Amino acid sequence: MRLPRPAGFQGPLTLLAGVSLLVYALWPWLPLPGRPHPPRTIVFYGFSILGEALDQAVLPTFERGWHARTGERVTVVTAFAGSGTITNQLIMGVPADLALVSLELDAERLAAAGVVAPGSWRRLPNAGVVNRTPFILLVRPGNPKGIRDFTDLGRPGVRVVHPDPMTSGGALWGVLAEYGSGFRRGGPEAGFQTLLGVWRNVVAQAASARAARTQFENGFGDVLVTYEQEALADSGSGAGAGTGKPGAGGWEIVYPPSTVQSEHTLVVVDRNVEPGERELVDALVRFLWSDEAQRLFVQHGFRSVSPELNDNPAFGRIDDPFLVRDFGGWDRVRREIVDGIWKEKVMTQVGR
């Protein structure tokens, strides 16, 4: 038989239970004597091929350096996807403090959506560009199709794997590389014909450059259009890779005579940075352009924005590298090449 509780007993008991649950939930975070403070956090979004370089080298080095200088623990929480995908996520409101996108065009989209201040990234070092990597071709061992340039991708029987321009910043760099290589050889018509030939032979697309490489490694296609860094990272941070050298994924690298150097842009999402975290976030931003961080990027297959640091012996030679600014910048490239030529002419002719 249960005895009746005295009047007024239920309220204090419920309150005590609630307080107990709250203390239990917060126990790991309470600043008790002798217990280290919980780590401070930064949320960092990046496009697909950055994962290994940031998570395995650059960010842990920053975390250790911050702890050594201040005694505070810091954890950088990361998320990676195609540049268009992470841009869409930022517009939808994910709580990122920093984002490293594949191309400035995505930074412009963030500004247009009010996520960051217009042009704010250009006030960062090197106008916001953290690192670079040229666009190259991966072919099957022995290069059975005899691929040497983007024009070869338009030959009958060549099957091309390519990231999707609707979701991948790398795909847009690929479009510029294909058109630009032809343009620099023979003008606008040569650029159009090169781009048309490539896209007539595209047999598989993926949401990101990393996903496209997975398709290629799984047996799709004869050639993959991708970042140099994707190839070098797969061969042990670049060791032993180069033109004609096999990669761990069962392919060889071909460096086109003319190709674009992709440039990757950092944005600071100021609206998500708490006042108390500003110093920490700014310190990470500065670190990304330090010689220490730039050397780590180079070790992981990216080319530094400081040319004197590009001493990775795996970096292949490109006779005629070019930049997006050689074609008027991304606003013009999007309007005239991506929309005006690739989308309205090339894709119409290939029936997609």
Side-chain angles (χ1 to χ4, degrees):
M1 178 177 177
R2 182 175 296 174
L3 296 175
R5 289 180 179 148
F9 184 79
Q10 182 70 32
L13 183 62
T14 302
L15 177 61
L16 178 61
V19 170
S20 299
L21 286 173
L22 179 62
V23 171
Y24 177 80
L26 295 178
W27 184 259
W29 303 93
L30 294 177
L32 299 179
R35 173 179 291 173
H37 291 289
R40 300 168 69 182
T41 59
I42 299 174
V43 180
F44 195 126
Y45 272 54
F47 70 99
S48 62
I49 69 171
L50 289 164
E52 289 83 358
L54 287 177
D55 280 348
Q56 298 176 15
V58 176
L59 298 178
T61 300
F62 171 76
E63 292 167 354
R64 290 192 296 269
W66 181 266
H67 184 264
R69 289 192 305 274
T70 68
E72 294 180 325
R73 292 180 298 148
V74 59
T75 298
V76 184
V77 180
T78 58
F80 302 99
S83 189
T85 299
I86 66 170
T87 299
N88 291 337
Q89 291 172 342
L90 289 164
I91 291 171
M92 292 172 63
V94 296
D97 301 299
L98 299 170
L100 186 49
V101 293
S102 174
L103 67 171
E104 190 179 25
L105 188 60
D106 284 333
E108 296 280 8
R109 287 181 57 209
L110 292 172
V115 178
V116 300
S120 56
W121 57 91
R122 299 191 188 105
R123 295 191 289 272
L124 298 173
N126 210 61
V129 174
V130 173
N131 52 33
R132 299 185 175 107
T133 188
F135 261 68
I136 53 86
L137 305 171
L138 296 188
V139 299
R140 299 300 178 188
N143 195 4
K145 298 289 185 177
I147 302 297
R148 293 288 178 263
D149 197 359
F150 290 111
T151 55
D152 297 324
L153 274 55
R155 297 200 312 252
V158 175
R159 300 171 301 155
V160 179
V161 178
H162 205 290
D164 185 352
M166 302 306 293
T167 56
S168 168
L172 298 180
W173 283 114
V175 168
L176 178 56
E178 294 145 15
Y179 176 85
S181 67
F183 180 94
R184 289 169 77 87
R185 183 183 66 253
E189 182 60 22
F192 169 71
Q193 291 298 331
T194 300
L195 192 58
L196 178 62
V198 172
W199 283 87
R200 275 178 172 159
N201 285 342
V202 169
V203 296
Q205 295 183 67
S208 69
R210 177 56 53 86
R213 195 189 81 174
T214 299
Q215 286 183 328
F216 186 68
E217 290 177 339
N218 286 338
F220 290 92
D222 305 302
V223 58
L224 169 67
V225 178
T226 193
Y227 299 97
E228 177 192 48
Q229 191 276 341
E230 271 285 79
L232 301 190
D234 191 66
S235 54
S237 299
T243 303
K245 301 292 181 66
W251 35 253
E252 295 176 7
I253 306 172
V254 171
Y255 286 89
S258 182
T259 190
V260 71
Q261 290 251 33
S262 67
E263 298 178 300
H264 317 130
T265 300
L266 184 76
V267 294
V268 181
V269 189
D270 289 310
R271 70 184 188 184
N272 292 338
V273 180
E274 298 292 337
E277 302 302 322
R278 173 60 62 183
E279 180 185 8
L280 174 62
V281 171
D282 287 349
L284 176 53
V285 169
R286 290 192 301 271
F287 178 73
L288 293 175
W289 278 279
S290 69
D291 284 357
E292 184 177 19
Q294 290 290 307
R295 286 192 175 98
L296 292 172
F297 279 123
V298 168
Q299 291 171 15
H300 283 75
F302 289 97
R303 301 200 184 199
S304 172
V305 294
S306 300
E308 67 275 10
L309 300 181
N310 287 320
D311 56 0
N312 188 329
F315 289 157
R317 174 180 170 79
I318 300 166
D319 295 332
D320 177 38
F322 57 89
L323 300 173
V324 65
R325 66 172 173 260
D326 296 320
F327 286 83
W330 269 113
D331 284 342
R332 184 174 176 182
V333 167
R334 175 186 56 185
R335 182 175 64 255
E336 297 182 3
I337 298 176
V338 176
D339 292 340
I341 299 175
W342 176 76
K343 187 179 293 185
E344 295 179 9
K345 296 180 180 179
V346 168
M347 298 308 285
T348 298
Q349 289 202 28
V350 301
R352 297 181 194 164

